[in-house]
Structures are given as structure tokens and as C-alpha cells.
Amino acid sequence: MSNRPVELEVKHLCKYYNAGRKRLLKAVDDVSFDIYKGETLGIVGESGCGKTTCGKTCIGMLEKTGGEVKFQGKDVHTLSKKERFDFSGKVQMIFQDPYASLDPHQKVYDIVAEGIRIHKLAKDKAEEEHMVLELLDMVGLNAEHAMRNVHEFSGGQRQRIGIARALAVDPEFLFCDEPISALDVSIQAQIINLLMKLQKEKHLTMLFIAHDLSMVKHISDRIGVMYLGNMVELSGSSDLYRKPLHPYTQALLSAVPIADPKASRERKKIMLTGDVPSPVNPPAGCRFSGRCKYCMSQCFDLKPELKEVEAGHYVACHLYDEK
Amino acid sequence: MENNLVLNEKSFQRMEKKQKDLGVVYHRSIWKDVKKEIKSNPMAVFACIFLAVIIIACLLAPLSPYDPNKLDIANKFLAPSLQHPFGTDEYGRDYFTRALYGGRVSLLVGFSAMFVTICIGTTIGIFSGYIGGKLDMLLMRFTDIFLALPSMLLMVVLNSFLKPGMTTLILVLSLFSWASVARITRAETMSLKERDYVIASKNLGASSVLIAVKHILPNILGPVIVAASLGVASAILTESSLSFLGLGISIPHASWGSMLQGAQSYILDKPMMAVYPGLLILLTVLSFNILGDVLRSALEPKIVK
């Protein structure tokens, strides 16, 4: 995996918000990872752990507080106006809420064509029309949908429109911000399969954020687990599910529902005690220290680094320090 | 730990097909909403009919056989009759014709002032809300100043300095009413610019102007239409007040306000001379206000489903 070219390089990325009274909310705190060309990196974690903030900062939608994000070797946050425009043709985003991400006053055609018009990808009206219809066909909608209003569509169809809009500029990198969490389970699978199909056809690199672990496993090549603004584990997806190393990941995976009630009953569930600490005042040392059952004295003072424990399997935990 | 859920393309295809057949066509447009809302409210139906009658009558005023400004002292203070539905005034002019021409002035001033108000207010509001930061601060303090000024007093002062006439009147009226429109549009713009579809458009590389015109303007149209219909009412009312004070349209041209002023001297002998223009102002302003309220309930509820 690591001999592939790196598409997106994230180094010590920090994003703090001002929480008032001189306190900082550390939404993303010192996160580093690479995304290789053509792969899908999934990021999982519970609500409020900074997944979306991390993703949005990675594609330059939010200003960073510290660290560095490089897309194809260029720093995302210091692009000139011209570079920024080119960047928008390469990096696109799919939103979480398909009801909020489409302009209610536009027709489907105009929504999909917007990117084509902005980037002047079509020579004339006829070519534009051809491109839009092709995009709609690609995401599983047909030509008669093009002239309809957005409110006539269901959530899944809207998400397809959103995908078509993102693909209109022929991007190389797709940031999917929980694209399935607002959808029905059956529709979720459709959208996931569509995304996988498109990735294969267009050789997209994807950053996929979700909290549905089974879906993430299905779509991702590698998965990063986030907890309270930190990346606690990063590994190949089957590796992570087979052998989770970080105690938090173990607890997270043990909570994935299994369709078989017998297996479900036999499985040991790891119950976490306590609540997620506030990101305004996170624990010193390991962020998970207060809730971890393997917690050692050094966990309270020393923040563990993300280290490669096995080939391609990174974990930030003192349990795996060299003994 | 292994999850047993197996997902593949085939298992979901049937569902997909079914859903396509089920696609329910459900139309919703601004006009349909407004029509429905008006029909469900008898007051609104009355307001609409009244406004339509007034506007058409005023437009057709030249069809009247009388010249609104021609003096005919022999026939002064005639009682209402078939020839003169509202009677005649102190110079023998047909009062009905004068009321119609006065209505033309009042409505024209009302609509033009509203139009200018909306143009200035919306532009400043969108600018301020979309760009934000220091410019927003500056523009909003500027708006606050205009909201805080005692507008009637200043309008009186301005009108007595400037050359009286329709254009002056319209400009002065809009100068003191754009501020509230700017406030409304700024607030709407600020909420809209955080919406996902605006962010998506920005992600696609759209310029600020494109976003403002394509995404923000169509989406704030509802509140703007409401503000416009209420704006017409208040412009007509203010115009009448100014004309009543002798600062509006110059003699001999009539407007409803100046007709009221003229009637003032004869209020004890000929009270009907004050009643006609007064009633016209009252009903027109009331109708615009009702229309504004109806539009508000039709356009402002945010649940689009």
C-alpha cells in the first residue's frame, strides 16, 4: 500500500474553536494520516469526536489552527485564488443531509450543471445537456428527472443528485461526509454500492466519514478511528475488524450489531463506563485514559503517539509500547 | 467480531425498481401556496378584489369625461349625482375623477417607493450578510442610524428643501424605509450562507456574485415579497401624510393626501369631501396590509414538505 503515491497528506492537523472565556475547544488535535491515490480511507468515531471537522479542514473548507494538509503536494490552506479554483475542480464533497444540500429553488438539471458551467467544461448547450444526462444516468437517475424540482425526490434520490453534482467537475478526490447517515438502511446500501461503483470507474480517492461501522468496512480500504479529536488507530479495514488493538476500537467494534441473535448473545460486549470528556478540557495524556480498563499510570500524563505496531497498522496506545 | 451482513448489488435491485414506479409527483410553487392561502381567508379575497378594482379604476382614469384640474366654479360643491358620483369640490372639479387621478399618484408613489426601497434594502442586506465582518458592522451601524432617525420629521425638512415633485417624494420615502428591508435580508442571507447547498456551490468554485444571485436571492424572495407588500402600504400612508402637510404633490395635481388637506377647510359643511379620499386611503392601506399578512403566512413557514 505504502508504495502508492500519496494523494492527501495530513500532518499534525489541529483545529481549535474559541469556546469563550479564553478556553479552546480542541475539535481536531494533532491528527496525521495519508490517503493514497485510489484508495478509500474511512474515518469512524462517535458523534462529536471531530470526524467531520477533520474532513472539512482537510479539504480547506475550514481554516486550520495548526499542522499541514497537502493535496498532491500543495498546501491546501495557502492556495492562491487561481489554485483554489483549480482545487475546486479536483476535490468535491458529498454532504450528510440530502435535504439541506440541494437548493430548493433549482431544478435538478441546474444543480448538476452548476459545476460544468462554473468550470466551463462544456463547449455549448448541447454538450452541457449531454454531460448532465450522462451524469444522471451514472448515478441511476434518468433524463425525465432532470427538469423536476428537488422536493419531488426522496432522500436516496436526492443523495444521488448530490453525487452527480460533485462528479460534474470530474474530481479526483471525494470527501463523503456521512453521506448515508440520513438515509434508510436499504437506501444506504444503494448509495454505498453506487459510490463503490463510481470509485472503480473513475479511479476516485475517497475520504469517507461515517459512524456505521459495517458500512465503513464495506467501502473502505483503510479505516481510521477517532476519539475526542485524536486518531487512535489506523489500519487496513479487515485488519482492524479482525484484530482491533486500541481499547477504544475494541469497545466500538463490540457494539456493532450482529444479525445472528445467537452469535450476538455469545459475544462479549465491552461496556465503557463514564462519558466522553469535554473537548474543551480534555484529559492530559491519553484522551481515553479515564474510561480505559487497561489504563496505566503513564496514560494519565503522557500522550501516546500514533505508532506502527504491525505492518500498516498504527495505534496510539501505551499498551503497545516496546517492552 | 466479524459482521455477517452481506451487501451486494443484487440484493437491492428490486427495491430500486419499485421506488422508481412509486415516484409521486408533488408540485409546490410560490404561486400555488399564495393562491391557497388567499382562498382560505375571506378577508384576503376581499383585499385582493378591492386592490384589483382600485388599480384598474385608477389606470382607466383618463376615460372619465372630466378634466381633473379644470376649474368650473359654476358647479362647485355639487352633491353626489349620476354625473358626479362623488360630487364636485370647491372649484367645481369632478371629485370622483380627482380621486381616481389622486389614486394614480398615490399608487405610483407607493409602488415606486417600494421598488426603490426593496432594491436598496436587498442589495445592502445581501452584501452585509454575505460578506460579513467589518463591512457588515459598518453597514449595519449605518442602517441603525437610519432606523433611529425620526423619519417623518426629516422627510418634512427634506421635502421643503428639495424641489417638490413625484421623483423627490419617491426618493425621500425610500431613503427612510430601506433600513428595515436591509435588516430582514441580512438576517436571511446570514442563515442561508451557512446552508449546505451554498457551501456546495462554493466548493464547486462559484464566485460570491454567482452565489448571491443564483442561490441567495431566490431563497429570500418570500420575506422580500412580504416586506414589499407592507412597504407599499406604508409608502402610501406616508405619502398621504406628506401631501396632507402640503409637502407632496404640488397643486393643482391631486393625491389622496392633498385631497384630504383640501377637504379640511370644509370639514364641517361638506364632510363627505374628506370621507371619500380618507376611506380610499384606509381601505387601500388595509388591503395591502392584509395581503402582506397572508403572503407572510404563505411564504414564510420554513417547513418545505
Side-chain angles (χ1 to χ4, degrees), chain A residues 134-147:
Chain A
E134 206 172 328
L135 282 162
L136 287 179
D137 181 55
M138 199 188 292
V139 298
L141 297 170
N142 49 39
E144 57 130 349
H145 289 130
M147 281 304 155

Side-chain angles (χ1 to χ4, degrees), chain B residues 240-260:
Chain B
S240 301
S241 319
L242 284 173
S243 296
F244 185 75
L245 295 173
L247 295 164
I249 292 303
S250 51
I251 308 169
H253 298 291
S255 91
W256 289 338
S258 67
M259 287 169 75
L260 265 183

Side-chain angles (χ1 to χ4, degrees), chain A residues 140-169:
Chain A
L141 297 170
N142 49 39
E144 57 130 349
H145 289 130
M147 281 304 155
R148 294 229 207 131
N149 284 316
V150 175
H151 58 79
E152 294 171 32
F153 292 95
S154 66
Q157 287 171 316
R158 281 167 188 240
Q159 200 59 287
R160 286 167 192 268
I161 298 167
I163 294 171
R165 170 178 61 188
L167 291 177
V169 292

Side-chain angles (χ1 to χ4, degrees), chain A residues 207-225:
Chain A
L207 175 60
F208 191 92
I209 287 175
H211 42 230
D212 185 328
L213 292 158
S214 48
M215 287 294 179
V216 173
K217 185 196 170 197
H218 188 60
I219 193 170
S220 308
D221 300 309
R222 291 191 305 147
I223 294 175
V225 182

Side-chain angles (χ1 to χ4, degrees), chain A residues 160-271:
Chain A
R160 286 167 192 268
I161 298 167
I163 294 171
R165 170 178 61 188
L167 291 177
V169 292
D170 205 9
E172 295 165 30
F173 184 90
L174 208 53
F175 166 44
C176 309
D177 180 16
E178 307 192 29
I180 51 167
S181 59
L183 305 174
D184 260 334
V185 179
S186 61
I187 313 292
Q188 282 184 359
Q190 289 178 17
I191 295 294
I192 288 282
N193 289 336
L194 173 67
L195 282 171
M196 290 177 76
K197 186 191 93 179
L198 290 171
Q199 185 185 26
K200 226 177 280 164
E201 284 170 11
K202 304 209 144 218
H203 310 290
L204 292 165
T205 310
M206 290 210 288
L207 175 60
F208 191 92
I209 287 175
H211 42 230
D212 185 328
L213 292 158
S214 48
M215 287 294 179
V216 173
K217 185 196 170 197
H218 188 60
I219 193 170
S220 308
D221 300 309
R222 291 191 305 147
I223 294 175
V225 182
M226 279 187 79
Y227 180 77
L228 209 61
N230 282 12
M231 184 77 81
V232 294
E233 190 163 357
L234 178 65
S235 108
S237 65
S238 52
D239 245 17
L240 187 86
Y241 280 81
R242 200 155 10 91
K243 199 179 163 202
L245 294 179
H246 198 280
Y248 176 65
T249 317
Q250 289 167 3
L252 204 61
L253 289 177
S254 81
V256 175
I258 298 178
D260 179 0
K262 216 168 149 198
S264 173
R265 239 176 279 127
E266 279 162 16
R267 180 174 61 166
K268 250 197 297 178
K269 277 201 183 119
I270 305 172
M271 286 297 190

Side-chain angles (χ1 to χ4, degrees), chain A residues 61 85 88 92-93 95 100-103 105-106 114 118-119 151-152 154 160 165 189 214 217-218 256, chain B residues 1-3 7-8 12 16 19-20 26-28 196-197 199-201 203-206 214-215 218-219:
Chain A
M61 277 171 70
F85 184 74
S88 71
Q92 275 304 314
M93 170 172 181
F95 290 84
S101 64
L102 303 176
D103 189 339
H105 283 92
Q106 282 191 312
E114 188 171 16
I118 291 169
H119 285 269
H151 58 79
E152 294 171 32
S154 66
R160 286 167 192 268
R165 170 178 61 188
S214 48
K217 185 196 170 197
H218 188 60
V256 175
Chain B
M1 221 62 82
E2 191 74 25
N3 199 315
L7 303 163
N8 61 32
F12 297 102
E16 205 167 11
Q19 207 190 16
K20 263 181 203 157
Y26 175 65
H27 262 289
R28 178 189 167 277
D196 278 353
Y197 55 84
I199 294 171
S201 181
N203 259 359
L204 282 168
K214 276 250 157 123
H215 296 289
N219 284 295

